[in-house]
């Protein structure tokens, strides 16, 4: 089944059609005696490599990660059960994940009838599972045996990793040899060293990675001794002998690094559980300063700032269990703000702290904590600065008492909080602070209860969340947020046993490491196991951008100051920033430039000199011809040449006769006033090619964005998805989407456009564009055409042009994906031209009818009642309110009709299938509820819609009849 097909566009479907359940990818077909079907889970890494390397004669499909995969497969195979089915997905001992569902021992009975329906009953089916570790252990053997029994098919499954050079022999039946060698992922977590490597049963542990070396600190249950181990030369080895007795329980130890030196915070059991910090000097563990806290501390958290300062947050018994934060200053631990600063006593649950500390790149401490006030639990995020002290970030109560186990992360100065939500089955959620509000990051991360989730970001800014997944016997699971959704990072539920108290850390190259208390031995005998995802290296190939140049001191544009300070912001942390990287826009002025770093991504540039004292005119700052600025990667990327989105200038007025004409030449850097167009084009789109983002720098007299296909052949139904993002290409939120029909079935003159409604667009926003073809997502490469036009080029050769335009009252009159035509904003008699293209055997007739309500209600001429789509008698009432307009077409041709309409109406659309008599032929309507839920009419662009005339939506190409109209 295909998606809607177009040369230009279709908005999001009005109904839950089958295309929302799966994306179809079809390879060249060959007649075979045993149909080969390969179905991929949409979360498989580097899927395009596998799809492009299939052997001829294989039918393939890609499952949507957002729907039940077993139901999707049942729908795919409903009409043609197969003799041979191969599933490519993430696996785990005793199961695999398909979409949102898990095919495992506990679910096999629920899906037994569906599994049997997948295979042709006349033959013994072949059922191949290309997924890691499915057949491992007793659970794997039992799963394979039972799956074979309920499916009535021969099952093959792997008891080891799959991919990265290792493939079961069945893989050679569907993939080319080159593909099997080229695919470098295994999609599987691997144990670091040996499992359960700690010598004794442990109570508490913490994981950090220094560069590429993982370190673990843990407390033994029997002797309370603290142990610090690192993984080096393929073995876990102790880092000295601390010789300290650790007290407390969970989260009572913590390890951090300053310039490669490990520091450990712990509760000293020999000194009344006071908080202390030690560091390894290369030979011994030595104390750091005096004791951090007095007796009775708990729930400690050690963090380091980008400047190397050490901070410790703890639950302070001396202040009623409230939070206290201290920083190491001249070898003394001094309080940050008042001691016991929290709004109430810090809660503790299941031995886990309800507080967390992070330090921003600018040195700002942030804390999140769950506290009691009046007997009610509340959660709050606070930050500290020396002027205002501790202040609340966003709402006073972050989540009004529903958050448990809050965990904090700071990315590019923006706080993120992960937590477990008791109001939704204790599922894991992540929120971030955007535009003054806490906002969800995607949907719930976990499918069921998630105990104490832990959030970290890799060097590319991708968030990872680890938690024990209750839906999979509390096995450790890691998700990452990419393309607007939380997806599995490696195998789902990869630990071999229940894994409470998980912790994640990420190496410099982007490899995630996970620590968990491994309960394989049972009876609460938890030892430490660490696993990593070895094929997850994230090379940083994104060039940093100069995002903005703004006025800092003075803040006013017009000034007579003799020293000016500009502030420049970069898209990521950079290095090598000095005065030689900048110049004034007026090179006739001799000045001194000085650079001061606010933090690694924000710099102040001061401009001073005698020439400023008598200068009258505009002074702006720009990059020098060859700046030497790079990012901080191991293979540093040079600063991109993309113009900043925001550029501010000063107007110096140093005489009584000001020469201020009111012009704001904010764009003297070459990205602003039309690139020499003399101001005739007052709009500006700025492409950031390094992060594939377009900035709506200035709309001017325009008010929205428009798209048009300019190059490339569309061979199957595809989608363009537009995301609203930030200046760093992060925090994506889907804005809208439209589909493109296959071009070979449409007339060459057919070239509609798609306009995003002006209500969705604002000046200063950032947009990102993705092309979804055969289930594979590509992001656009960007090229400037003019100030107001940007070319979007995708890897498959498809190219679109996006531009800013002025949306008028007739730009697009179709509402809600062609549910209706809205003429209510127009006046008088309207002259309408219709162009109709037909690509169907059926001779269909299109008409229009007057609706009374926005949801398609029509007035029954007999009872005067309003009938809604789906009500009895709706068809007859709608046809009774039809206009005297009938549109038909000749197959393979374009027909043109002229008609008149009256303004002020709202019109529904109907189609008489293969005829012109609504009383004897089948009729479908633009409101899917009137068709039993089937959406037969889709928007294909501005004032353009397409029709699928077959029952059950046929092949869903929506080009059986295409109607385009314009109003004069």
């Amino acid at each position: 089944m295909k998606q809607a097909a177009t040369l230009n566009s279709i908005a999001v479907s009005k109904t839950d059609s089958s295309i929302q359940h799966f994306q179809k990818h079809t390879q060249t077909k060959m007649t075979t005696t045993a149909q080969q079907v390969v179905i991929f889970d949409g979360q498989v890494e580097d899927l395009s490599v596998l799809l492009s390397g299939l052997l001829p004669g294989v039918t393939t499909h890609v499952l949507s990660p957002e729907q039940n995969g077993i139901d999707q497969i049942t729908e795919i195979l409903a009409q043609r059960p197969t003799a041979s089915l191969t599933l490519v997905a993430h696996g785990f001992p005793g199961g695999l994940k398909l979409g949102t569902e898990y095919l495992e021992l506990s679910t096999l009975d629920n899906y037994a009838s569906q599994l049997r329906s997948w295979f042709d009953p006349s033959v013994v089916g072949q059922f191949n599972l290309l997924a890691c570790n499915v057949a491992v252990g007793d659970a794997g053997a039992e799963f394979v045996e039972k799956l074979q029994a309920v499916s009535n098919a021969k099952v093959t499954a792997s008891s080891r990793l799959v991919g990265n050079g290792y493939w079961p022999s069945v893989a050679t039946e569907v993939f080319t040899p080159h593909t099997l060698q080229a695919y470098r992922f295994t999609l599987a977590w691997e144990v670091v060293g040996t499992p359960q490597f700690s010598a004794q049963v442990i109570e508490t542990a913490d994981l950090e990675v220094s560069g590429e070396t993982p370190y673990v600190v843990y407390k033994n249950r029997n002797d309370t001794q603290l142990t610090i181990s690192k993984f080096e030369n393929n073995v876990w080895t102790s880092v000295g002998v601390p010789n300290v007795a650790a007290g407390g329980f969970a989260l009572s130890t913590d390890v951090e690094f300053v310039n490669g030196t490990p520091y450990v915070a712990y509760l000293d059991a020999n000194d009344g559980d006071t908080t202390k910090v030690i560091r390894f000097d290369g030979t011994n563990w030595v104390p750091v300063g005096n004791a951090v806290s007095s007796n009775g501390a708990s729930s400690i958290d050690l963090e380091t700032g980008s400047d190397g300062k050490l901070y410790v947050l703890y639950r302070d018994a001396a202040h009623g269990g409230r939070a206290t934060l201290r920083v190491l200053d001249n070898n003394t631990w001094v309080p940050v703000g008042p001691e016991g600063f929290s709004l109430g006593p810090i809660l503790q649950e299941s031995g886990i702290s309800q507080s967390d500390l992070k330090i921003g790149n600018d040195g700002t401490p942030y804390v999140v904590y769950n506290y009691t006030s009046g007997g009610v639990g509340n959660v709050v995020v606070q930050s500290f600065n020396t002027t205002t002290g501790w202040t609340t970030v966003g709402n006073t109560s972050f989540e009004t008492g529903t958050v448990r186990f809050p965990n904090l992360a700071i990315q590019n100065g923006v706080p993120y909080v992960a937590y477990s939500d008791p109001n939704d089955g204790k599922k894991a959620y992540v929120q971030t602070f955007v535009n003054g509000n806490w906002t969800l990051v995607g949907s719930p991360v976990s499918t069921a209860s998630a105990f104490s989730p832990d959030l970290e970001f890799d060097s590319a800014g991708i968030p990872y969340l680890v938690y024990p997944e209750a839906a999979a016997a509390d096995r450790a699971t890691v998700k990452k947020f990419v393309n607007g959704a939380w997806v599995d990072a490696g195998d789902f539920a990869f630990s071999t046993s229940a894994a409470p108290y998980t912790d994640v850390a990420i190496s410099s190259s982007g490899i995630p490491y996970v620590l968990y208390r491994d309960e394989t031995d049972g009876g609460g005998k938890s030892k430490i196991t660490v696993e990593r995802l070895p094929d997850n290296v994230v090379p940083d190939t994104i060039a940093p951008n100069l995002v903005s140049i703004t006025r800092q001191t003075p803040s006013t544009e017009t000034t007579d100051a003799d020293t000016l300070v500009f502030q420049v912001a970069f898209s990521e942390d950079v290095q090598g920033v000095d005065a030689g990287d900048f110049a004034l826009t007026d090179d006739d002025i001799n000045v001194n430039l000085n650079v001061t770093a606010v933090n690694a991504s924000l710099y102040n540039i001061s401009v001073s000199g005698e020439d400023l004292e008598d200068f009258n005119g505009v002074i702006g700052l720009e990059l020098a011809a060859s700046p030497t600025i790079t990012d901080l990667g191991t293979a540093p990327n040079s600063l991109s040449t993309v113009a900043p989105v925001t550029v501010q200038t000063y107007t110096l007025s140093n005489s009584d006769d000001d020469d201020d004409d009111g012009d704001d030449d904010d764009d003297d850097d070459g990205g602003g006033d039309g690139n020499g167009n003399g101001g005739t084009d007052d709009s500006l789109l700025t492409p950031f090619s390094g992060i594939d983002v377009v900035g709506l720098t200035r709309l001017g007299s325009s008010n929205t964005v428009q798209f048009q296909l300019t190059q490339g052949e569309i061979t199957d139904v595809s989608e363009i998805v537009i995301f609203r993002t930030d200046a760093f290409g992060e925090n994506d939120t889907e804005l809208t989407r439209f589909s493109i029909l296959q071009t070979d079935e449409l007339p060459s003159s057919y070239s509609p456009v798609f306009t995003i409604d002006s209500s969705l667009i604002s000046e200063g926003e950032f947009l990102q564009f993705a092309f979804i073809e055969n289930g594979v997502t590509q992001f656009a490469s960007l090229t400037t055409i003019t100030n107001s036009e940007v070319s979007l080029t995708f890897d498959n050769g498809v190219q679109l042009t996006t531009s800013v335009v002025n949306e008028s009252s007739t730009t697009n009159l179709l509402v809600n994906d062609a549910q209706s035509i809205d003429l209510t904003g127009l006046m008088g008699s309207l002259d309408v031209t219709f162009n109709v293209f037909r690509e169907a055997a059926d001779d269909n007739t299109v008409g229009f009818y007057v609706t009374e309500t926005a949801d398609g209600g029509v007035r029954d001429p007999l009872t005067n009642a309003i009938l809604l789509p789906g009500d009895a008698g709706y068809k007859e009432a709608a046809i009774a309110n039809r206009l005297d307009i009938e549109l038909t077409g000749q197959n393979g041709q374009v027909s043109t009709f002229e008609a008149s309409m009256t303004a002020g109406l709202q019109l529904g659309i109907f189609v008489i299938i293969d005829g012109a008599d609504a009383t004897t032929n089948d009729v479908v309507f633009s409101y899917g509820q009137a068709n039993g839920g089937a959406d037969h009419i889709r928007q294909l662009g501005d004032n353009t819609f397409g029709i699928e005339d077959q029952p059950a939506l046929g092949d869903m190409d929506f080009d059986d009849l295409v109607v385009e109209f314009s109003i004069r």
Side-chain angles (χ1 to χ4, degrees):
M1 186 174 291
K2 294 187 294 183
Q3 278 190 54
T6 78
L7 179 67
N8 185 50
S9 56
I10 292 180
V12 178
S13 170
K14 300 190 287 288
T15 62
D16 185 19
S17 67
S18 57
I19 190 59
Q20 292 175 301
H21 295 293
F22 63 89
Q23 301 283 350
K24 179 179 179 182
H25 178 92
T26 304
Q27 293 287 332
T28 303
K29 305 292 192 303
M30 291 180 64
T31 302
T32 59
T33 56
Q35 180 199 6
Q36 282 268 35
V37 177
V38 181
I39 296 180
F40 297 86
D41 183 77
Q43 298 181 85
V44 170
E45 303 283 354
D46 213 358
L47 189 54
S48 60
V49 172
L50 297 176
L51 287 170
S52 63
L54 288 159
L55 294 171
V58 175
T59 300
T60 67
H61 304 267
V62 179
L63 301 179
S64 166
E66 300 174 356
Q67 302 290 336
N68 183 312
I70 300 171
D71 289 345
Q72 294 179 63
I73 297 171
T74 301
E75 186 173 355
I76 293 168
L77 300 175
Q79 300 301 317
R80 192 182 180 191
T82 183
S84 176
L85 174 62
T86 299
L87 301 183
V88 184
H90 291 283
F92 53 89
L96 66 162
K97 187 179 183 189
L98 300 168
T100 59
E101 183 58 309
Y102 308 101
L103 188 61
E104 55 186 343
L105 279 172
S106 62
T107 62
L108 280 178
D109 288 338
N110 299 335
Y111 292 112
S113 61
Q114 293 190 53
L115 290 167
R116 284 192 293 271
S117 74
W118 295 356
F119 295 94
D120 185 344
S122 65
V123 298
V124 177
Q126 179 65 45
F127 196 179
N128 305 318
L129 307 180
L130 293 183
C132 296
N133 299 322
V134 171
V136 166
D138 293 341
E142 185 179 354
F143 171 73
V144 171
E145 181 180 359
K146 188 171 182 180
L147 177 62
Q148 193 159 274
V150 298
S151 65
N152 288 330
K154 181 181 178 182
V155 176
T156 64
S158 176
S159 59
R160 57 158 295 174
L161 305 182
V162 173
N164 196 20
Y166 174 80
W167 294 90
S169 59
V170 294
T172 62
E173 299 174 10
V174 290
F175 295 109
T176 66
H178 173 76
T179 301
L180 298 180
Q181 290 298 319
Y183 189 76
R184 305 317 304 167
F185 288 93
T186 64
L187 310 175
W189 291 79
E190 67 176 22
V191 173
V192 178
T194 57
Q196 296 193 316
F197 69 84
S198 53
Q200 302 180 31
V201 175
I202 60 98
E203 282 190 351
T204 179
D206 184 54
L207 167 73
E208 289 294 336
V209 180
S210 176
E212 299 298 322
T213 304
Y215 285 72
V216 172
V217 57
Y218 57 95
K219 170 196 167 185
N220 298 320
R221 177 178 297 174
N222 295 334
D223 59 13
T224 73
Q225 287 298 302
L226 207 62
T227 300
I228 297 94
S229 296
K230 67 177 178 178
F231 188 70
E232 194 171 53
N233 298 322
N234 293 319
V235 294
W236 286 100
T237 58
S238 294
V239 181
V241 181
N243 285 324
V244 296
F249 184 55
L251 295 191
S252 61
T253 58
D254 201 0
V255 59
E256 294 289 338
F257 292 86
V258 177
N259 297 324
T261 298
Y263 289 73
V264 171
Y266 70 101
L267 299 178
D268 189 342
N270 293 331
D271 192 12
D273 277 355
T274 57
T275 306
K276 294 184 179 179
V277 177
I278 55 178
R279 68 176 176 86
F280 190 64
D281 66 3
T283 304
N284 301 302
W285 288 94
V286 297
V288 177
N290 55 334
V292 181
S293 70
S294 58
N295 293 358
S298 59
S299 301
I300 62 176
D301 190 3
L302 172 68
E303 290 292 333
T304 60
S306 59
D307 56 1
K309 287 185 178 179
L310 289 167
Y311 296 79
V312 175
L313 176 73
Y314 59 95
R315 188 176 186 271
D316 193 343
H319 290 84
R322 295 173 182 258
T324 293
L325 178 66
R326 293 183 182 271
V327 63
L328 187 66
D329 186 11
N330 292 323
N331 213 37
T332 300
W333 293 98
V334 297
V336 177
E339 298 175 69
F341 68 86
S342 61
L343 301 179
I346 304 300
L347 289 174
Q348 295 190 100
E349 184 175 331
S350 302
I352 297 293
S353 171
Q354 297 288 308
S355 60
D356 196 22
L357 165 71
K358 289 295 183 293
I359 311 299
N361 286 340
D362 60 355
T364 299
Y366 289 81
V367 296
V368 61
Y369 55 86
N370 199 335
Y371 67 100
T372 55
S373 177
V376 178
N378 296 276
V379 173
V380 69
V381 178
Q382 291 187 299
S383 63
F384 180 84
N385 68 55
T386 55
T387 302
T388 60
W390 287 103
T391 58
T392 299
V393 179
N395 305 330
T396 302
S397 175
F398 170 74
E399 187 67 14
T400 60
T402 63
V403 166
R404 290 295 180 268
F405 314 116
N407 180 259
L408 185 63
I410 306 295
Q411 177 66 14
N412 291 327
V414 178
Y416 291 73
V417 174
Y419 58 91
S420 175
D421 187 351
N423 281 349
D424 190 16
K426 299 181 182 179
K427 293 179 183 177
Y429 280 83
V430 175
Q431 292 203 40
T432 185
F433 192 67
V434 179
N435 298 325
N437 295 294
W438 286 100
T439 305
L440 283 175
V441 178
S443 54
V445 186
S446 64
T447 57
S449 172
F451 180 78
S452 190
D454 183 37
L455 178 68
E456 295 289 343
F457 284 80
D458 68 14
S459 59
I462 297 175
Y464 289 73
L465 191 75
V466 64
Y467 59 93
E469 175 62 74
D474 286 331
R475 292 196 293 266
T477 297
V478 177
K479 300 276 189 178
K480 61 181 178 180
F481 191 71
V482 291
N483 297 329
W486 290 99
V487 299
D488 291 320
D491 289 339
F492 171 80
F494 55 86
S495 63
T496 55
S497 73
Y501 307 107
T502 54
D503 192 15
V504 64
I506 301 175
S507 75
S508 298
S509 65
I511 296 177
Y513 287 76
V514 166
L515 173 150
Y516 56 89
R517 282 175 48 181
D518 190 341
E519 296 191 343
T520 301
D521 292 342
K525 297 179 180 179
S526 300
K527 295 185 179 181
I528 295 174
T529 294
V530 174
E531 297 198 37
R532 65 185 173 189
L533 193 59
D535 300 313
N536 199 71
V537 175
V538 182
D540 182 7
T541 59
I542 300 175
N545 293 315
L546 176 57
V547 176
S548 63
I549 301 175
T550 56
R551 293 183 291 269
Q552 182 71 8
T553 306
S555 59
T556 56
E557 178 188 355
T558 302
T559 180
D560 61 356
D562 295 336
T563 299
L564 309 174
V565 180
F566 293 90
Q567 189 166 90
V568 296
F570 297 92
S571 60
E572 59 180 295
D573 292 351
V574 293
Q575 59 188 350
V577 182
D578 57 39
D581 295 315
F582 299 93
L584 291 189
T585 53
D586 190 329
D587 56 10
D588 292 331
I589 306 173
N590 292 318
V591 295
N592 299 316
L593 300 180
N594 290 287
V595 177
T596 303
V598 178
N599 57 53
S601 63
L602 198 65
Y603 294 80
N604 287 339
I605 317 297
S606 66
V607 181
S608 61
E610 292 183 2
D611 282 10
L612 292 182
E613 298 177 7
D614 299 317
F615 182 79
N616 291 285
V618 175
I619 294 291
L621 189 72
E622 63 184 0
L623 286 172
S626 300
T628 59
I629 301 169
T630 68
D631 62 16
L632 305 183
T634 54
N637 300 293
S638 298
L639 186 70
S640 95
T641 58
V642 174
V645 174
T646 303
V647 180
Q648 294 179 343
T649 59
Y650 286 102
T651 300
L652 288 183
S653 178
N654 285 303
S655 67
D656 292 334
D657 184 18
D658 288 345
D659 188 25
D660 184 5
D661 61 3
D663 287 343
D664 182 5
D665 295 331
D666 283 359
D667 302 298
D668 286 346
D669 64 327
D673 67 351
N675 291 330
N677 290 339
T680 56
D681 185 353
D682 60 354
S683 59
L684 179 62
L685 295 181
T686 304
F688 291 79
S689 56
I691 53 176
D692 300 330
V693 167
V694 171
L696 305 183
T697 306
R698 187 172 58 237
L699 290 177
S701 59
S702 302
N703 61 8
T704 192
V705 174
Q706 196 170 79
F707 302 88
Q708 186 165 19
L709 179 72
T710 54
Q711 181 177 310
E713 181 180 351
I714 310 299
T715 59
D716 205 348
V717 178
S718 304
E719 280 189 301
I720 297 290
V721 185
I722 301 97
F723 297 96
R724 180 186 284 117
T725 182
D726 57 23
F728 310 106
E730 300 174 351
N731 304 317
D732 293 349
T733 301
E734 183 174 319
L735 185 68
T736 188
R737 64 173 62 203
F738 61 94
S739 298
I740 298 182
L741 297 180
Q742 52 199 74
T743 54
D744 58 348
E745 295 184 2
L746 298 168
S748 58
S749 61
Y750 182 67
S751 183
V753 296
F754 185 89
T755 305
I756 300 177
D757 191 88
S758 57
S759 64
L760 301 177
I761 296 297
S762 298
E763 185 172 282
E765 290 185 328
F766 302 89
L767 303 181
Q768 194 170 42
F769 310 90
F771 188 93
I772 302 176
E773 180 183 35
N774 298 325
V776 178
T777 301
Q778 309 169 35
F779 285 91
S781 299
L782 311 173
T783 306
T784 296
I785 300 175
T786 68
N787 266 23
S788 59
E789 293 180 292
V790 172
S791 173
L792 312 177
T793 303
F794 300 93
D795 291 344
N796 57 5
V798 172
Q799 189 175 84
L800 292 91
T801 296
T802 181
S803 58
V804 287
V805 298
N806 188 38
E807 183 181 15
S808 68
S809 59
T810 60
T811 297
N812 183 34
L813 297 170
L814 292 173
V815 178
N816 294 337
D817 189 20
Q819 275 189 333
S820 64
I821 300 174
D822 187 3
L823 306 178
T824 57
L826 305 179
M827 299 178 62
S829 179
L830 308 174
D831 294 325
V832 186
T833 299
F834 295 95
N835 292 316
V836 180
F837 172 72
R838 174 178 155 195
E839 177 65 33
D842 290 345
D843 186 8
N844 305 307
T845 301
V846 177
F848 308 95
Y849 62 101
V850 178
T851 62
E852 300 288 336
T853 61
D855 54 1
V858 295
R859 190 172 300 280
D860 188 336
L862 299 178
T863 65
N864 206 38
I866 300 297
L867 300 179
L868 296 177
D871 288 348
Y874 183 84
K875 171 185 174 182
E876 292 75 15
I879 298 301
N881 286 280
R882 67 191 295 180
L883 301 184
D884 188 19
I885 298 175
E886 293 184 350
L887 307 177
T888 60
Q890 296 295 318
N891 199 16
Q893 299 182 23
V894 177
S895 303
T896 300
F897 299 82
E898 301 288 341
S900 294
M901 289 184 178
T902 302
L905 301 177
Q906 186 136 329
L907 303 176
I909 307 167
F910 68 90
V911 183
I912 304 173
I913 304 300
D914 201 18
D917 189 343
T919 62
T920 59
N921 294 87
D922 290 335
V923 179
V924 296
F925 296 87
S926 50
Y927 291 89
Q929 301 94 319
N931 312 320
D935 182 17
H936 282 265
I937 302 175
R938 298 281 187 88
Q939 181 181 345
L940 307 186
D942 292 350
N943 298 331
T944 305
F945 58 90
I947 295 157
E948 174 54 61
D949 62 11
Q950 295 299 305
L953 297 180
D955 58 3
M956 291 190 68
D957 57 10
F958 289 90
D959 65 355
D960 298 328
L961 211 63
V962 176
V963 179
E964 180 185 50
F965 64 90
S966 59
I967 294 180
R968 303 185 299 281

